[in-house]
Amino acid sequence: MFISFEGIEGSGKTTQIKLLIPVLQAKGYECIATREPGATKIGHKIRAILLDAAHATMLPLTELLLYEADRAQHVHEVIKPALAANKVVVSDRFFDATTVYQGYARGFDLELIQQIHRIVLGGLRPDLTLILDLPVHAGLERAWQRINSQSGGLPEDRFEKEAIAFHEKVRQGYLTLARGEPERFRVIDASGDRQAVHRDIVEIVLSLHGQGLP
Ligand code: TMP
């Protein structure tokens, strides 16, 4: 079983994955939590290049190909082996993030992105994709609080520095994807408190039992 989490900056994906994993483990599922970009040794270096605010001159094409390079490594090293071992894989972002950030928001041709995904993913798709949805201003407020409270290391704020209109395109992009593929996506209202969001997520994930959750 493969579950991906998506959403705008500050939507709470990382927190919610941390809350979900112990619930699944308590039910006896073997799980791994992973993320994009940066889940592998090579990916970690790619992430640092991608998110460094000093890289303001990075071409959109460079950005697109770096995300895909990270993903190729991630699929090969982490996701496929875990799925083959019958684990539940929970990924903090996956290929929909490229469709939305580089496609809907940056304006890359969606057909080109799909072609690259055919190469990078073969037919691999998450069984379930949870979109944590909330208004852009609320998400960005949370994201900046997190960035400003981080100590040490370079701030990973290249995307947070994008204009509000960019983040609005990201939000709308995710909602468009969800409408087009309702069997894979669930949109969750992430503006509420974290325990309420957690309960919604657990209910959806556990309802997959019998539909492939091992
Ligand atoms: P994170 O904040 O969820 O760790 O994600 C890092 C940033 O990378 C976030 O701003 C979204 C962006 N991103 C893309 O633009 N395209 C992608 O394919 C992925 C996986 C992330």
Side-chain angles (χ1 to χ4, degrees), residues 182-201:
E183 43 319 318
R184 175 162 69 88
F185 286 97
R186 294 285 182 287
V187 179
I188 292 168
D189 177 1
S191 57
D193 78 89
R194 71 170 63 165
Q195 283 307 331
V197 177
H198 173 58
R199 280 194 297 275
D200 287 350
I201 291 172

Side-chain angles (χ1 to χ4, degrees), residues 9 13 36-37 47 51 63 67 71 92-94 97-98 101-102 146 159:
E9 319 299 319
K13 299 174 281 89
E36 288 193 353
R47 180 180 176 97
L51 301 185
E63 179 184 286
Y67 278 113
R71 183 161 302 129
D92 190 338
R93 298 198 189 280
F94 194 53
T98 303
Y101 278 82
Q102 281 63 52
R146 186 191 61 225
F159 278 86

Side-chain angles (χ1 to χ4, degrees), residues 1 6 30 34 61 65 77 88 92 94 98-99 106 108 117 127 145 154 157 163 167 176 193:
M1 169 66 53
E6 301 283 354
E30 230 190 304
T34 185
L61 181 61
L65 296 175
E77 269 187 45
V88 178
D92 190 338
F94 194 53
T98 303
T99 308
R106 290 259 191 261
F108 262 104
H117 285 152
D127 301 289
Q145 271 171 17
L154 290 171
D157 59 358
H167 297 285
T176 304
D193 78 89

Side-chain angles (χ1 to χ4, degrees), residues 50-65:
L50 276 165
L51 301 185
D52 186 343
H55 293 165
T57 56
M58 186 183 295
L59 291 177
L61 181 61
T62 307
E63 179 184 286
L64 171 66
L65 296 175

